[in-house]
Amino acid sequence: MSTETNGGHPAPGDLPAFPGDLPAFAVQLRRMHGEIGRVIQQYAARQNLHATDVQALAAILDAPEPMTPTRLRALLGLTSGAVTACVDRLERAGHVRRVREDADRRVVHLQYVDDARAAARTHFRPLADAVRRAGADFDAHELAVALRFLTELNDILAEVPGEPAAGR
């Protein structure tokens, strides 16, 4: 029998053992988050964007299907007004365009503008180069395991409930 607490989430004693050095993983994940955040902040500043705008661009770029403002709102945890303001800024800056769906004109898809995509690739190329350099000493199997771990971690992190921000 599970001793679930905290809104249906497992109690710490119910979690599986972590066979690695958990504090060391935590430190390295925080470092990685900080370094990627620094590069994102630089891009946002160069493009006169908010960090949230860059998160929106990444969500649009990485979406497996056409992104809608409603889906973007859910992904970023923003209000509808905040998403509208974000998309307005991105559209004015030439990064995205709103495209109405042919079948249902009420549905709006957000598309990354090709020129803006090229600018983003140029800015973020050092991140891709860093991944290549870091992975050069690992074989394909080791990288597949690392990717599997990161994918699983991100999937589980996406399920972690957040506290609503003030005013939401």
Side-chain angles (χ1 to χ4, degrees):
M1 179 166 95
S2 176
T3 57
E4 289 191 10
T5 60
N6 193 20
H9 298 283
D14 291 344
L15 294 173
F18 187 81
D21 183 345
L22 187 58
F25 268 84
V27 166
Q28 294 308 317
L29 288 168
R30 283 192 300 272
R31 272 189 67 203
M32 184 176 68
H33 179 266
E35 294 301 331
I36 291 172
R38 178 180 54 78
V39 175
I40 288 169
Q41 289 291 342
Q42 290 170 347
Y43 181 73
R46 286 185 182 144
Q47 297 293 318
N48 294 316
L49 299 173
H50 297 261
T52 301
D53 298 344
V54 180
Q55 286 179 308
L57 287 172
I60 294 165
L61 180 65
D62 295 343
E65 57 193 39
M67 182 61 72
T68 64
T70 301
R71 258 190 258 123
L72 187 61
R73 177 182 175 266
L75 276 171
L76 299 181
L78 300 173
T79 64
S80 3
V83 166
T84 298
C86 173
V87 173
D88 286 348
R89 284 190 304 271
L90 291 172
E91 197 170 41
R92 274 193 310 274
H95 291 275
V96 300
R97 69 175 154 261
R98 291 174 168 102
V99 178
R100 297 217 176 259
E101 189 176 86
D102 290 335
D104 183 348
R105 302 290 296 159
R106 295 171 298 176
V107 176
V108 174
H109 292 152
L110 305 173
Q111 293 181 345
Y112 215 128
V113 174
D114 287 339
D115 289 345
R117 186 185 306 248
R121 277 194 187 120
T122 298
H123 181 85
F124 289 105
R125 179 156 293 129
L127 288 179
D129 294 346
V131 170
R132 284 186 188 94
R133 285 179 34 219
D137 291 332
F138 295 86
D139 66 33
H141 174 74
E142 290 171 314
L143 291 173
V145 170
L147 179 60
R148 194 177 101 222
F149 172 77
L150 291 172
T151 301
E152 183 69 15
L153 177 59
N154 284 324
D155 289 348
I156 291 171
L157 286 172
E159 297 171 0
V160 173
E163 293 293 319
R168 273 198 208 158

